[in-house]
């Protein structure tokens, strides 16, 4: 019955011509703001809505997607890059969530000779993976290899907490990405919010500063409460929707999943194979002829430059 419903949903999407793959990229100015937890729970909410979701995890350190879901990363993008398996075989699944550990694969892809990249592209063309949404859980700050890829047309979500460090680093990220790639709009997801009124005040301050000094528009996507259920669910290797479906955090993520599911998808946005081709080109374009690792043109917090925090209650002063 479940497969029949999925087939019917896919048929309806084709009938309506909504074939574009939705790419949602989660970033943060620094680690420790709950970005990976947001990726897992947003994916779970979209799965509940009947979407086929794949999380592309760019993080290698402890606390990545595989670690949070209690899964050893024995299958990953690296094996597909080395042509040791098909892409579909490198994808893992836990707690109804599909994810692709990609950190090592990204590094290997950057060093891959041109002819090997061409062969890999040909292989990916045959990919038959069913996917409606790709959620990219990036490396915090500006060291992501996927910034040029994800800052083009995809949805950019910046995860921020109410701490001064998180706010100023997020602002530094916005400033750097705007200067480097011309990105002019971002969705902001406030995480670990202890007081809704204070969370909204902090966002308004950020939005006002971004508009005034950078010419950037920020949109408040939502606020994740500081709900202990999120932490307890993570300790169980589950999403909060699965472990504690009646919690306040689960309700918020369901609302967010519904919102993302209703975002208009690009009609000609391609499919998962096209996305992976773009990923290969993105990494290849960042790799100099010498084969050495490229150095970032901006970073956090050094890239903050003239960002000057001043905490006063819920208000943080940010300058250009």
């Amino acid at each position: 019955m479940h497969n029949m419903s999925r087939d019917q949903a896919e048929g309806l999407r084709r009938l309506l011509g909504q074939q574009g793959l939705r790419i949602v990229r989660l970033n943060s100015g620094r680690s420790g703001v709950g970005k990976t937890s947001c990726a897992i729970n947003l994916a779970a909410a979209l799965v509940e809505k009947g979407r086929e979701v794949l999380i592309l995890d760019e993080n290698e350190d402890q606390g990545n997607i595989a670690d949070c879901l209690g899964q050893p990363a024995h299958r990953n993008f690296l094996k597909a890059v080395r042509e040791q398996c098909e892409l579909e075989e490198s994808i893992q699944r836990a707690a109804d969530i599909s994810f692709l550990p990609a950190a090592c694969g990204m590094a290997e892809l950057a060093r891959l000779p041109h002819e090997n990249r061409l062969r890999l592209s040909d292989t990916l063309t045959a990919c038959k993976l069913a996917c409606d949404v790709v959620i990219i859980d990036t490396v915090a700050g500006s060291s992501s290899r996927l910034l040029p890829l994800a800052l083009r047309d995809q949805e950019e979500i910046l995860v921020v907490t109410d701490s001064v460090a998180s706010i100023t680093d997020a602002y530094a990220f916005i400033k750097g990405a705007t200067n480097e790639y011309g990105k002019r709009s971002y969705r902001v997801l406030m995480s670990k919010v202890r007081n809704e009124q204070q969370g909204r005040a902090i966002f308004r301050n950020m939005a006002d500063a971004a508009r005034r000094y950078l010419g950037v528009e920020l949109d408040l996507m939502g606020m994740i409460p500081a709900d202990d259920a999120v932490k307890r669910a993570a300790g169980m290797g589950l999403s909060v929707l699965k472990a504690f479906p009646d919690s306040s955090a689960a309700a918020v993520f369901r609302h967010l999943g519904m919102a993302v599911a209703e975002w208009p998808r690009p009609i000609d946005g391609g499919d998962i194979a096209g996305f992976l081709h773009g990923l290969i080109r993105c990494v290849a374009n960042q790799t100099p002829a010498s084969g050495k690792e490229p150095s970032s043109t901006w970073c956090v917090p050094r890239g903050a430059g003239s960002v000057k925090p001043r905490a006063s209650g819920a208000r943080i002063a940010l300058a250009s």
Side-chain angles (χ1 to χ4, degrees):
M1 180 63 71
H2 181 64
N3 289 337
M4 182 181 295
S5 298
R6 245 177 215 181
D7 291 343
Q8 289 173 345
E10 178 62 22
L12 181 59
R13 286 195 292 273
R14 288 179 179 173
L15 180 63
L16 295 175
Q18 297 180 341
Q19 286 299 293
L21 179 69
R22 168 61 63 205
I23 310 298
V24 179
R25 179 182 184 276
L26 269 68
N27 202 92
S28 60
R30 61 168 44 215
S31 60
V33 300
K35 173 175 58 65
T36 295
S37 172
C38 287
I40 290 172
N41 287 295
L42 183 58
L46 285 164
V47 169
E48 277 194 1
K49 296 293 294 181
R51 298 303 193 269
E52 295 283 358
V53 183
L54 174 67
I55 302 179
L56 180 69
D57 186 10
E58 198 187 9
N59 297 278
E60 188 173 11
D61 297 334
Q62 186 178 15
N64 58 23
I65 297 291
D67 190 37
C68 287
L69 292 176
Q71 295 291 313
H74 57 278
R75 291 180 289 167
N76 52 53
F77 188 49
L78 178 61
K79 292 190 175 183
V81 170
R82 290 177 173 174
E83 302 178 72
Q84 296 174 344
C85 70
E86 299 295 328
L87 177 69
E88 293 91 331
E89 297 172 330
S90 65
I91 293 172
Q92 296 195 59
R93 190 169 178 84
D96 298 330
I97 296 172
S98 297
F99 64 99
L100 177 61
C104 295
M106 292 290 104
E108 183 81 1
L109 187 56
R111 296 188 291 266
L112 209 62
H114 179 67
E115 58 273 16
N116 294 69
R117 285 182 184 144
L118 291 177
R119 191 163 61 246
L120 179 61
S121 292
D122 290 340
T123 301
L124 294 178
T125 301
C127 176
K128 301 300 181 184
L129 180 67
C131 190
D132 299 310
V133 182
V134 172
I135 295 177
I136 305 175
D137 185 18
T138 66
V139 175
S142 65
S143 56
S144 169
R145 296 179 183 275
L146 302 179
L147 277 173
L149 171 74
L151 285 175
R152 272 205 313 270
D153 303 314
Q154 294 84 16
E155 298 292 345
E156 173 76 11
I157 299 175
L158 198 58
V159 182
V160 186
T161 69
D162 60 3
S163 75
V164 173
S166 173
I167 295 165
T168 53
D169 283 356
Y171 187 86
F173 174 86
I174 294 169
K175 181 178 180 180
T178 299
N179 292 338
E180 188 77 10
Y181 305 108
K183 183 72 174 176
R184 292 291 171 183
S185 63
Y186 302 82
R187 300 180 191 270
V188 173
L189 185 56
M190 298 295 297
S191 176
K192 304 180 182 180
V193 175
R194 292 164 291 186
N195 181 289
E196 182 177 348
Q197 184 177 2
Q198 183 180 28
R200 291 188 182 277
I202 289 171
F203 169 77
R204 284 196 299 270
N205 188 33
M206 281 186 64
D208 289 345
R211 186 182 303 112
R212 178 178 179 183
Y213 298 120
L214 305 177
V216 167
E217 292 296 324
L218 302 184
D219 175 51
L220 181 58
M221 180 180 174
M223 293 190 290
I224 309 299
D227 188 345
D228 187 59
V230 175
K231 184 176 181 180
R232 286 186 286 141
M236 300 163 62
L238 298 171
S239 70
V240 71
L241 289 85
K242 196 172 186 70
F244 303 102
D246 298 325
S247 64
S248 58
V252 171
F253 276 113
R254 284 196 182 91
H255 177 76
L256 292 173
M258 184 178 298
V260 173
E262 292 177 353
W263 288 348
R265 293 195 301 167
I267 299 298
D268 57 351
D271 55 13
I272 188 67
F275 165 74
L276 292 168
H277 284 305
L279 184 149
I280 292 173
R281 289 194 301 272
C282 174
V283 175
N285 290 340
Q286 297 176 70
T287 307
S290 64
K292 295 180 180 179
E293 292 293 310
S295 58
S296 177
T297 56
W298 54 279
C299 61
V300 175
R302 186 182 304 165
S306 54
V307 177
K308 302 172 183 177
R310 183 178 69 251
S312 178
R315 187 166 183 79
I316 307 296
L318 301 170
S320 60

